[in-house]
Short mmCIF file of all heavy atoms in Angstrom, two decimals:
data_model
loop_
_atom_site.label_atom_id
_atom_site.label_comp_id
_atom_site.label_asym_id
_atom_site.label_seq_id
_atom_site.Cartn_x
_atom_site.Cartn_y
_atom_site.Cartn_z
N ALA B 2 -4.84 -0.25 21.68
CA ALA B 2 -5.03 0.49 22.93
C ALA B 2 -5.69 1.83 22.66
O ALA B 2 -5.43 2.47 21.65
CB ALA B 2 -3.69 0.70 23.62
N VAL B 9 5.34 16.62 22.01
CA VAL B 9 5.70 17.71 21.12
C VAL B 9 5.93 17.15 19.72
O VAL B 9 6.77 16.28 19.51
CB VAL B 9 6.97 18.42 21.63
CG1 VAL B 9 7.35 19.56 20.70
CG2 VAL B 9 6.76 18.92 23.04
N LYS B 12 3.35 18.67 14.06
CA LYS B 12 1.98 18.81 13.56
C LYS B 12 1.08 19.38 14.65
O LYS B 12 1.29 19.13 15.83
CB LYS B 12 1.43 17.43 13.16
CG LYS B 12 2.28 16.68 12.16
CD LYS B 12 2.05 17.18 10.77
CE LYS B 12 2.82 16.32 9.78
NZ LYS B 12 3.15 17.08 8.56
N ARG B 21 -14.10 4.83 15.37
CA ARG B 21 -15.09 5.05 16.42
C ARG B 21 -16.35 4.30 16.04
O ARG B 21 -16.89 4.48 14.95
CB ARG B 21 -15.39 6.56 16.56
CG ARG B 21 -16.52 6.88 17.54
CD ARG B 21 -16.16 6.44 18.94
NE ARG B 21 -17.02 7.03 19.97
CZ ARG B 21 -17.92 6.33 20.67
NH1 ARG B 21 -18.12 5.06 20.43
NH2 ARG B 21 -18.61 6.93 21.62
N GLY B 49 -24.58 13.57 9.12
CA GLY B 49 -24.54 12.25 9.75
C GLY B 49 -23.34 11.41 9.34
O GLY B 49 -23.26 10.24 9.69
N THR B 54 -18.55 13.83 15.30
CA THR B 54 -17.91 12.75 16.05
C THR B 54 -16.39 12.93 16.03
O THR B 54 -15.73 12.84 17.07
CB THR B 54 -18.29 11.39 15.44
OG1 THR B 54 -19.72 11.29 15.45
CG2 THR B 54 -17.69 10.24 16.20
N ARG B 57 -15.42 15.97 18.18
CA ARG B 57 -15.50 15.68 19.61
C ARG B 57 -14.31 14.84 20.08
O ARG B 57 -13.83 15.02 21.20
CB ARG B 57 -16.81 14.95 19.93
CG ARG B 57 -18.04 15.85 19.88
CD ARG B 57 -19.32 15.02 19.93
NE ARG B 57 -19.24 14.04 21.01
CZ ARG B 57 -19.47 14.33 22.28
NH1 ARG B 57 -19.83 15.53 22.63
NH2 ARG B 57 -19.34 13.41 23.20
N VAL B 72 -3.08 15.77 19.69
CA VAL B 72 -3.62 17.12 19.53
C VAL B 72 -2.86 18.07 20.45
O VAL B 72 -2.23 17.61 21.40
CB VAL B 72 -5.13 17.17 19.88
CG1 VAL B 72 -5.97 16.50 18.83
CG2 VAL B 72 -5.40 16.60 21.25
N ARG B 74 -2.02 20.59 23.47
CA ARG B 74 -2.52 20.69 24.82
C ARG B 74 -3.52 21.85 24.94
O ARG B 74 -4.53 21.75 25.62
CB ARG B 74 -1.35 20.94 25.76
CG ARG B 74 -1.57 20.47 27.17
CD ARG B 74 -0.31 20.66 27.97
NE ARG B 74 0.65 19.58 27.75
CZ ARG B 74 0.56 18.38 28.33
NH1 ARG B 74 -0.46 18.10 29.11
NH2 ARG B 74 1.46 17.46 28.10
N LYS B 90 -22.31 36.26 34.26
CA LYS B 90 -22.22 37.43 33.39
C LYS B 90 -21.27 37.11 32.24
O LYS B 90 -20.39 36.24 32.35
CB LYS B 90 -21.68 38.63 34.18
CG LYS B 90 -22.59 39.11 35.31
CD LYS B 90 -23.58 40.13 34.80
CE LYS B 90 -24.64 40.47 35.81
NZ LYS B 90 -24.19 41.36 36.87
N LYS B 102 -7.74 33.54 39.71
CA LYS B 102 -8.99 34.28 39.91
C LYS B 102 -9.52 34.80 38.58
O LYS B 102 -8.73 35.08 37.68
CB LYS B 102 -8.75 35.47 40.86
CG LYS B 102 -8.82 35.08 42.33
CD LYS B 102 -8.72 36.32 43.21
CE LYS B 102 -9.94 37.24 43.03
NZ LYS B 102 -9.83 38.44 43.89
N LEU B 112 -13.24 40.34 24.68
CA LEU B 112 -14.54 40.79 24.18
C LEU B 112 -14.38 41.99 23.25
O LEU B 112 -15.16 42.16 22.31
CB LEU B 112 -15.46 41.14 25.36
CG LEU B 112 -16.00 39.91 26.10
CD1 LEU B 112 -16.58 40.28 27.45
CD2 LEU B 112 -17.06 39.22 25.25
N HIS B 119 -19.29 46.37 24.90
CA HIS B 119 -20.47 46.96 25.53
C HIS B 119 -21.34 45.91 26.20
O HIS B 119 -22.34 46.23 26.82
CB HIS B 119 -21.27 47.75 24.50
CG HIS B 119 -21.72 46.90 23.34
ND1 HIS B 119 -20.84 46.27 22.50
CD2 HIS B 119 -22.96 46.57 22.91
CE1 HIS B 119 -21.51 45.59 21.59
NE2 HIS B 119 -22.80 45.75 21.82
N VAL B 127 -29.64 38.27 27.55
CA VAL B 127 -29.98 39.47 26.78
C VAL B 127 -29.20 39.56 25.46
O VAL B 127 -29.46 40.45 24.67
CB VAL B 127 -29.77 40.77 27.60
CG1 VAL B 127 -30.49 40.70 28.92
CG2 VAL B 127 -28.30 41.07 27.81
N GLY B 131 -26.19 36.32 17.39
CA GLY B 131 -24.86 36.65 16.87
C GLY B 131 -23.92 37.09 17.98
O GLY B 131 -22.74 36.71 18.01
N LEU B 151 -14.19 24.23 15.48
CA LEU B 151 -15.48 24.91 15.34
C LEU B 151 -16.46 23.98 14.63
O LEU B 151 -16.22 23.55 13.51
CB LEU B 151 -15.31 26.20 14.52
CG LEU B 151 -14.37 27.27 15.12
CD1 LEU B 151 -14.15 28.40 14.11
CD2 LEU B 151 -14.92 27.81 16.42
N LEU B 182 -9.92 23.89 12.74
CA LEU B 182 -10.70 22.89 12.02
C LEU B 182 -12.15 23.33 12.09
O LEU B 182 -12.75 23.35 13.17
CB LEU B 182 -10.54 21.49 12.64
CG LEU B 182 -11.34 20.40 11.90
CD1 LEU B 182 -10.82 20.20 10.49
CD2 LEU B 182 -11.30 19.09 12.66
N LEU B 183 -12.67 23.74 10.93
CA LEU B 183 -14.03 24.26 10.88
C LEU B 183 -14.94 23.25 10.19
O LEU B 183 -14.77 22.95 9.02
CB LEU B 183 -14.04 25.59 10.09
CG LEU B 183 -15.42 26.15 9.72
CD1 LEU B 183 -16.12 26.74 10.93
CD2 LEU B 183 -15.29 27.20 8.62
N THR B 185 -18.37 22.56 8.54
CA THR B 185 -19.42 23.39 7.94
C THR B 185 -20.15 22.58 6.89
O THR B 185 -19.64 21.56 6.41
CB THR B 185 -18.82 24.67 7.31
OG1 THR B 185 -19.85 25.39 6.65
CG2 THR B 185 -17.72 24.35 6.32
N LYS B 205 -13.96 8.08 6.46
CA LYS B 205 -12.57 8.49 6.19
C LYS B 205 -12.58 9.88 5.59
O LYS B 205 -13.63 10.41 5.25
CB LYS B 205 -11.92 7.53 5.19
CG LYS B 205 -11.71 6.13 5.70
CD LYS B 205 -10.93 5.34 4.66
CE LYS B 205 -10.70 3.91 5.10
NZ LYS B 205 -11.96 3.18 5.38
N TYR B 208 -11.68 13.20 0.49
CA TYR B 208 -11.20 14.20 -0.46
C TYR B 208 -10.42 15.24 0.33
O TYR B 208 -10.83 15.64 1.41
CB TYR B 208 -12.39 14.84 -1.17
CG TYR B 208 -12.05 15.99 -2.09
CD1 TYR B 208 -11.60 15.75 -3.40
CD2 TYR B 208 -12.20 17.31 -1.67
CE1 TYR B 208 -11.31 16.80 -4.25
CE2 TYR B 208 -11.91 18.36 -2.52
CZ TYR B 208 -11.46 18.11 -3.81
OH TYR B 208 -11.17 19.15 -4.65
N ASP B 213 -5.70 27.28 -3.08
CA ASP B 213 -4.65 28.26 -3.35
C ASP B 213 -5.25 29.51 -3.96
O ASP B 213 -5.06 29.80 -5.14
CB ASP B 213 -3.60 27.66 -4.28
CG ASP B 213 -2.78 26.60 -3.56
OD1 ASP B 213 -2.49 26.81 -2.36
OD2 ASP B 213 -2.48 25.55 -4.17
N LEU B 214 -5.98 30.24 -3.17
CA LEU B 214 -6.62 31.47 -3.67
C LEU B 214 -6.14 32.63 -2.81
O LEU B 214 -5.92 32.48 -1.61
CB LEU B 214 -8.14 31.36 -3.57
CG LEU B 214 -8.81 30.29 -4.44
CD1 LEU B 214 -10.29 30.19 -4.08
CD2 LEU B 214 -8.63 30.60 -5.91
N LEU B 228 -13.45 25.17 -7.96
CA LEU B 228 -13.37 24.41 -6.70
C LEU B 228 -14.76 24.16 -6.12
O LEU B 228 -15.05 23.09 -5.59
CB LEU B 228 -12.53 25.18 -5.68
CG LEU B 228 -11.02 25.05 -5.84
CD1 LEU B 228 -10.29 26.08 -4.99
CD2 LEU B 228 -10.57 23.64 -5.41
N ALA B 234 -19.82 18.49 -6.37
CA ALA B 234 -19.90 17.16 -6.99
C ALA B 234 -19.48 16.09 -6.00
O ALA B 234 -20.12 15.04 -5.88
CB ALA B 234 -19.00 17.13 -8.23
#
Side-chain angles (χ1 to χ4, degrees):
Chain B
V9 180
K12 305 280 185 207
R21 174 62 164 110
T54 303
R57 286 169 48 80
V72 288
R74 207 175 279 281
K90 295 272 171 77
K102 276 186 66 180
L112 285 165
H119 58 299
V127 307
L151 298 173
L182 181 65
L183 169 74
T185 175
K205 294 186 181 57
Y208 174 82
D213 290 321
L214 296 172
L228 280 167

